[in-house]
Amino acid sequence: MKTDLKDIILKRIKDKKLKAFFCYDFTDLSSYKTISKCLERLEDSKVITRIIQGIYSLNLFDEVLSLPILPSVDDVIHCMARKNKWIICPSGNTALNIMGLSTQVPSSYTYLSSGPYKSYLIYDVPVLLKRTMARELIDYSNTTLLLIQCIKALGKDNITNHDIDTLKSKLNQQDKINALKETPIIQTWIRKIIVLVCKE
């Protein structure tokens, strides 16, 4: 193992602002076996910490709060999806929380996934990946997917002007252009809400 490999890995983590990472994020630098061994040594020296099997984060600490700084459940799940080449999207209350439509800390997380139907415990919080047809995920950009899931979670008769304003504030101009372009044949009631969110 190159003596400076760990420093190169740590620099990449910081430069790319990787909140959670795994071996294949670095295998362009060396072999999988070498990277794996390097991550093990970084873990042994308390530079990184293992979140779940195969997924790590930097070992950071908040001196003011006297608490470790850990990636969010969402960060870990997206890293897992990247690791397994799954397409995922938050759904239900998870989507509402991420988009600021719910201030409650979720007691569990739910995602649509192109991968297998699986459940995990991350920080003792249940996470469910619900398999869905890949077409339902690949036809839309990530932000449009999240917008659709929020609208579905709120329900046809429960969306308020405040909800629309909140969703509008979370999307930039390109997000709105994409959402309008990508959803011409979606369910009519969902399309009407998307138009309200995306219009100026």
Side-chain angles (χ1 to χ4, degrees), residues 126-193:
V127 178
L128 177 63
L129 299 184
K130 297 170 65 176
R131 179 169 176 77
T132 190
M133 289 187 296
R135 181 177 56 81
E136 294 185 19
L137 297 171
I138 63 175
D139 284 351
Y140 308 106
S141 60
N142 290 338
T143 304
T144 301
L145 268 174
L146 188 54
L147 175 61
I148 292 169
Q149 290 307 308
C150 284
I151 292 170
K152 287 182 176 181
L154 289 167
K156 183 177 181 180
D157 301 318
N158 300 313
I159 297 177
T160 65
N161 289 332
H162 177 71
D163 294 330
I164 290 171
D165 289 341
T166 300
L167 288 169
K168 188 177 293 190
S169 71
K170 298 292 182 178
L171 274 60
N172 61 37
Q173 186 58 31
Q174 189 59 53
D175 292 333
K176 294 172 184 177
I177 291 170
N178 291 342
L180 289 172
K181 283 183 177 179
E182 293 167 359
T183 59
I185 58 172
I186 202 167
Q187 288 172 275
T188 302
W189 75 271
I190 296 176
R191 174 67 180 183
K192 286 180 179 178
I193 301 301

Side-chain angles (χ1 to χ4, degrees), residues 5 13-14 24-25 31 42 48 66 83 105 109 111 123 156 164 177 188 196:
L5 180 57
I13 292 167
K14 293 171 184 175
Y24 282 110
D25 283 326
S31 68
L42 286 169
I48 66 174
S66 297
K83 178 175 182 281
V105 177
Y109 289 74
Y111 293 78
Y123 312 135
K156 183 177 181 180
I164 290 171
I177 291 170
T188 302
L196 288 175

Side-chain angles (χ1 to χ4, degrees), residues 24-78:
Y24 282 110
D25 283 326
F26 314 104
T27 48
D28 60 309
L29 302 174
S30 190
S31 68
Y32 179 91
K33 184 177 180 180
T34 300
I35 296 296
S36 180
K37 181 59 70 176
C38 187
L39 292 180
E40 285 179 15
R41 291 180 179 177
L42 286 169
E43 183 185 11
D44 290 341
S45 61
K46 309 297 184 185
V47 176
I48 66 174
T49 188
R50 189 191 306 257
I51 304 299
I52 58 174
Q53 182 64 37
I55 294 179
Y56 303 85
S57 71
L58 286 176
N59 196 6
L60 303 174
F61 194 78
D62 188 316
E63 298 291 347
V64 175
L65 298 176
S66 297
L67 291 171
I69 302 172
L70 297 169
S72 68
V73 171
D74 188 62
D75 291 330
V76 175
I77 288 297
H78 273 87

